[in-house]
Amino acid sequence: MPWAYLLECDDGTYYAGSTVDLDARIWQHNHDDDLGAAYTRSRRPVVLVWSGWFDRIEDAYAFEKQIQGWNRRKRQALINNEWHQLPALSRRSAVQRRDAEADHPDPPSR
């Protein structure tokens, strides 16, 4: 089955990947120097924090590439299944700050 996945590395960073055998791939990330990703080799152990099943490996790979472009907050929303937050987290940080200020305006000064 095709999967896209997100690992948390020992240093707290995230790694996005895709595979057809999720269990074997995670084992490789943690054990096999020749088959595990170069990024995770020096950041072991890694822990699976999110995975999603796809109908086709091409779709899993495309979602992996999409996740790789996300910032940490957006990845954490995915991990926490907070799908409703993803559109807002896609906005530029200045827009996010403006929206937050509109939700919680400062009280009037006296």
Side-chain angles (χ1 to χ4, degrees):
M1 280 195 296
W3 295 89
Y5 61 91
L6 197 57
L7 303 175
E8 184 171 8
C9 299
D10 191 49
D11 64 358
T13 60
Y14 294 119
Y15 173 86
S18 58
T19 185
V20 293
D21 188 340
L22 187 58
D23 292 332
R25 188 65 181 137
I26 300 221
W27 186 92
Q28 290 170 347
H29 279 294
N30 277 315
H31 296 95
D32 196 322
D33 288 337
D34 293 334
L35 298 176
Y39 184 84
T40 59
R41 284 183 204 145
S42 61
R43 294 169 173 86
R44 291 179 182 151
V46 299
V47 176
L48 179 68
V49 292
W50 179 86
S51 62
W53 176 80
F54 291 81
D55 289 327
R56 301 175 322 134
I57 189 62
E58 295 85 2
D59 297 332
Y61 180 75
F63 196 69
E64 168 196 347
K65 293 302 172 190
Q66 187 175 0
I67 295 170
Q68 287 175 350
W70 289 2
N71 63 35
R72 183 174 185 82
R73 288 178 45 208
K74 194 167 179 180
R75 290 177 182 195
Q76 289 172 328
L78 175 68
I79 292 164
N80 295 326
N81 290 317
E82 296 170 341
W83 294 92
H84 63 282
Q85 289 191 11
L86 295 178
L89 292 171
S90 295
R91 296 185 192 129
R92 293 187 323 260
S93 58
V95 174
Q96 291 177 34
R97 280 193 302 276
R98 185 193 69 210
D99 291 347
E101 290 169 1
D103 290 340
H104 304 288
D106 292 331
S109 58
R110 295 182 187 208

